[in-house]
Amino acid sequence: MRKASYLAMLAGADFIKTSTGKVAPAATAPVVLVMLEAVRDYFTLTGEKIGVKPAGGIRTTKDAIKQLVLVKETAGEQWLTPDLFRIGASALLNDLLMQRMKLRTGHYASANYVTVD
Amino acid sequence: MSDFEYANAPESKAIANISPSYGLFIGGKFVDPKKGKSFSTINPANEELLSKVGYGDKSDIDAAVKSARAAYTKIWSKMPAKERGKYLYRIARIMQERAREFAVVETLDNGKPIRESRDTDIPLAAAHFFYHAGWADKLEYAGFGNKPKSLGVVGQIIPWNFPLLMLAWKIAPALAAGNTVVLKPAETTPLSALLFAQVCQQAGLPDGVVNIVTGDGITGAALVNHPDINKVAFTGSTEVGKAIARSISATKKTATLELGGKAANLVFEDAAIDEAVEGIVNGIFFNQGHVCCAGSRLIIQENVADEVLEKLKKRMSLIRVGDPMDKNTDLGAINSKEQLNKIEEISKTGDAEGANRWSPDVKLPTKGFWYPPTIFTGVTQSHRIAREEIFGPVLSVLTFRTPAEAIEKANNTMYGLSAGIWSDKGAKVLWAAKQLKAGVIWSNTFNKFDPASPFGGYKESGWGREGGRHGLAGYLTSDSKVNK
């Protein structure tokens, strides 16, 4: 993982991504950790910030928060911006909408209240 | 404050349900100490009083040993081994059921982060009872001779760093082998042992099989010197261990002693550096460094030393120090004022002898006993901080050029409890493990414990092993005369 990350960064990538997201398993915590360590070390060596995009397997808001903690603790807070960290997860969006609905109304709605795309 | 600050996530104190006072647990009941004396136990994170605990003296120890002897001769030694096993299983299950309560009590009394008591101490303690429950009826097939016998009454003294876990390491094998027990918990952390006494009652364990007498060093000495105990099992400082060894010499008593350590954590140039950094942090900052097998001497190959130290410092800046009851806390409170003084005293010699101190910028709470995560670089073998056990969150960093030098430095200590090796090359790990004089050696990991794995040290780190088949051996004999 680390070597693949370095190859991509040395070849000029602006973002490194786990996969298309359509295969499983993809963006597991250990994999994202190694990629974040790679961009952190690359920044120390070159002064260049490369983005990370985990995709596949991050389905709930809770999963997403765990990913954000991973970014904060590994690459650092400056990576917590859309330019440097994105989550590729269509399923996640629906869960996020459901959680927001719950914050507004106080209870969970049926999954059918959010659209599947 | 940034947008990504963590919110507090405190565990509830109410779960602990601590009584304002406790008696001594003798003969299956909580009784008042004969002299009526008691002492306070406080929360080291804020110095608030938690409870008043009975102070056991010589007469209380005598009552406890008598009760253990009666339970041994009348009940426990006659009971079929399978039945003993059932009690141990029952205790293990109740500990699991009440795990959250145990975790909160442990954290309040000890000062360790709730994350550690919840995820390490309590589950491992229950695992020890499960593991030894299984042994109870299989002792004849374990390679201890045809009919191994129990020893009798065992006096056990445990430390304050892992109060319940050390209790489990002591009581589970003793009971599985058919002995009865008088246990003295550490002065600063008696509460989880008293909660365990309630578990014994709940499990219907016959009266007197487990007796728990709280007190201080004088109580412990009375237990060690009692004429009617067959064995002493002690975990604590090398100094006290030596005193115990002296006082049981020329008696029939046997002893297992788990004493101090000054573990070398060797990082070779081919190690996975990020993993090693995690291991170093776990090795020395786990449980505030109050770990006898803590990786307190970091010995790094010279050509990667700068990289390792830079990453280590970055990682240390992320350690959250503070309220042990917060689920996000990494480093809790130092267990007592006395221990804090000791850490401060030895660390100061590091400054005086010319080592370079570094700590991340942390804000320590004003009440309670606290010490920041600290590393010393530029340490040499002769520095006190490289030779003596600090028992706190203080790491001494040394370097080496050749593997032979690493081994020489690692073994140049009066201790020999544990060691860590970080390398990508299996052959190098096995070679180093063979050279190191340490009872436990971790390869590319640190501070991993399992009831099936024997734990113990060389040299001044102690006598005997605890855990696994080797640990059971300390509670059994093939000599048929020993019980008489």
Side-chain angles (χ1 to χ4, degrees):
Chain A
M1 277 308 297
R2 198 180 295 255
K3 278 186 182 147
S5 301
Y6 266 96
L7 282 175
M9 289 188 292
L10 289 167
D14 294 319
F15 250 88
I16 53 175
K17 187 176 175 182
T18 48
S19 71
T20 60
K22 299 299 176 196
V23 291
T28 60
V31 162
V32 179
L33 175 70
V34 168
M35 290 171 68
L36 287 165
E37 283 172 355
V39 298
R40 178 196 64 193
D41 293 348
Y42 191 76
F43 174 65
T44 316
L45 290 170
T46 65
E48 206 181 327
K49 286 181 188 156
I50 309 293
V52 177
K53 182 170 176 181
I58 305 167
R59 306 190 145 266
T60 64
T61 311
K62 223 177 190 174
D63 288 342
I65 290 174
K66 287 178 189 163
Q67 294 283 330
L68 295 179
V69 170
L70 214 54
V71 175
K72 181 182 149 105
E73 301 269 322
T74 313
E77 241 167 73
Q78 69 261 40
W79 254 264
L80 284 171
T81 130
D83 296 346
L84 291 172
F85 186 72
R86 292 177 188 203
I87 296 172
S90 20
L92 172 62
L93 179 63
N94 281 2
D95 186 65
L96 193 64
L97 289 171
M98 292 237 311
Q99 300 297 338
R100 288 187 66 103
M101 254 193 262
K102 194 234 173 190
L103 283 178
R104 201 180 67 234
T105 62
H107 46 80
Y108 282 108
S110 153
N112 289 330
Y113 279 89
V114 289
T115 52
V116 182
D117 51 8
Chain B
M1 188 169 146
S2 82
D3 293 343
F4 296 103
E5 242 0 86
Y6 295 103
N8 293 336
E11 176 61 292
S12 160
K13 285 191 176 74
I15 293 160
N17 198 16
I18 298 170
S19 309
S21 70
Y22 289 92
L24 310 172
F25 185 66
I26 296 174
K29 284 172 234 26
F30 281 95
V31 297
D32 289 332
K34 291 211 158 67
K35 300 256 166 67
K37 284 213 287 185
S38 67
F39 63 100
S40 307
T41 182
I42 61 164
N43 178 352
N46 56 21
E47 299 172 61
E48 277 168 19
L49 177 73
L50 290 173
S51 182
K52 289 271 196 186
V53 180
Y55 177 82
D57 71 357
K58 215 172 158 184
S59 56
D60 300 303
I61 288 288
D62 191 48
V65 173
K66 280 199 176 111
S67 134
R69 177 61 64 189
Y72 179 73
T73 26
K74 290 186 194 131
I75 305 164
W76 203 245
S77 64
K78 291 186 179 154
M79 186 183 282
K82 207 166 110 193
E83 298 302 311
R84 288 204 308 268
K86 282 187 192 169
Y87 281 108
L88 290 173
Y89 277 123
R90 201 177 294 164
I91 289 170
R93 283 195 301 269
I94 297 171
M95 284 172 85
Q96 283 188 324
E97 279 164 22
R98 298 176 71 172
R100 197 170 169 200
E101 189 183 353
F102 267 113
V104 172
V105 166
E106 200 78 314
T107 285
L108 288 174
D109 206 16
N110 173 281
K112 67 174 68 202
I114 186 77
R115 182 170 58 85
E116 288 178 9
S117 52
R118 181 195 63 197
D119 297 347
T120 307
D121 291 57
I122 313 305
L124 269 176
H128 265 267
F129 276 94
F130 275 117
Y131 174 80
H132 287 97
W135 269 124
D137 59 353
K138 300 170 192 72
L139 299 172
E140 288 179 27
Y141 315 103
F144 301 121
N146 193 14
K147 285 235 181 312
K149 296 190 74 172
S150 52
L151 300 172
V153 177
V154 185
Q156 306 183 317
I157 300 172
I158 55 169
W160 46 260
N161 57 343
F162 295 94
L164 187 74
L165 183 58
M166 292 299 107
L167 174 147
W169 280 28
K170 295 275 180 288
I171 292 186
L175 297 194
N179 306 279
T180 58
V181 163
V182 178
L183 177 110
K184 191 205 79 80
E187 192 183 353
T188 56
T189 55
L191 293 183
S192 57
L194 294 164
L195 184 57
F196 178 81
Q198 293 174 3
V199 169
C200 291
Q201 288 179 325
Q202 197 183 340
L205 189 72
D207 294 349
V209 172
V210 168
N211 302 275
I212 294 171
V213 182
T214 45
D216 61 4
I218 297 168
T219 317
L223 178 57
V224 169
N225 292 318
H226 195 287
D228 199 31
I229 61 166
N230 301 82
K231 178 199 165 81
V232 179
F234 171 76
T235 297
S237 72
T238 293
E239 193 190 343
V240 176
K242 284 180 180 174
I244 289 175
R246 274 192 292 274
S247 62
I248 63 159
S249 61
T251 70
K252 282 186 183 169
K253 293 171 197 171
T254 58
T256 43
L257 306 170
E258 296 292 349
L259 309 175
K262 190 77 188 173
N265 206 357
L266 304 179
V267 180
F268 287 97
E269 58 186 350
D270 56 359
I273 302 294
D274 287 299
E275 266 180 58
V277 166
E278 285 305 313
I280 294 162
V281 167
N282 177 34
I284 186 63
F285 301 121
F286 174 64
N287 201 31
Q288 296 74 248
H290 300 330
V291 186
C292 46
C293 54
S296 52
R297 281 186 302 150
L298 175 62
I299 309 184
I300 321 174
Q301 196 145 12
E302 211 172 72
N303 49 342
V304 292
D306 289 344
E307 189 190 351
V308 170
L309 286 173
E310 197 186 316
K311 286 193 165 177
L312 177 61
K313 287 176 179 176
K314 249 189 204 162
R315 178 64 183 80
M316 282 170 68
S317 310
L318 295 167
I319 293 176
R320 278 190 291 275
V321 187
D323 183 8
M325 289 291 275
D326 194 313
K327 291 167 197 162
N328 285 329
T329 293
D330 297 313
L331 197 75
I334 303 299
N335 180 254
S336 64
K337 180 87 192 132
E338 195 189 356
Q339 185 58 27
L340 181 61
N341 291 342
K342 195 186 145 203
I343 296 169
E344 280 170 348
E345 192 235 312
I346 304 183
S347 302
K348 271 182 197 148
T349 69
D351 301 318
E353 291 180 341
N356 305 311
R357 178 198 287 261
W358 186 87
S359 283
D361 186 22
V362 288
K363 207 166 159 262
L364 299 178
T366 45
K367 286 208 117 188
F369 317 124
W370 301 90
Y371 203 83
T374 303
I375 54 172
F376 278 101
T377 50
V379 178
T380 68
Q381 285 292 101
S382 61
H383 285 168
R384 257 185 88 184
I385 53 169
R387 307 203 66 78
E388 290 180 29
E389 186 176 35
I390 302 174
F391 224 61
V394 183
L395 178 68
S396 304
V397 185
L398 299 99
T399 56
F400 68 91
R401 286 189 181 172
T402 64
E405 187 193 351
I407 301 296
E408 196 181 349
K409 281 185 166 166
N411 284 340
N412 178 218
T413 169
M414 275 325 296
Y415 296 112
L417 193 53
S418 66
I421 304 167
W422 296 86
S423 168
D424 206 20
K425 202 159 170 56
K428 198 186 272 180
V429 172
L430 291 173
W431 172 83
K434 219 172 166 185
Q435 313 290 318
L436 287 168
K437 284 273 165 289
V440 184
I441 295 169
W442 287 291
S443 140
N444 292 319
T445 185
F446 214 92
N447 278 343
K448 287 268 181 285
F449 305 99
D450 189 285
S453 167
F455 182 93
Y458 283 79
K459 296 189 269 188
E460 291 193 7
S461 287
W463 294 349
R465 294 290 179 269
E466 283 185 311
R469 204 183 64 83
H470 303 75
L472 270 175
Y475 289 97
L476 290 167
T477 177
S478 51
D479 178 1
S480 57
K481 279 178 243 156
V482 81
N483 302 319
K484 299 201 173 134

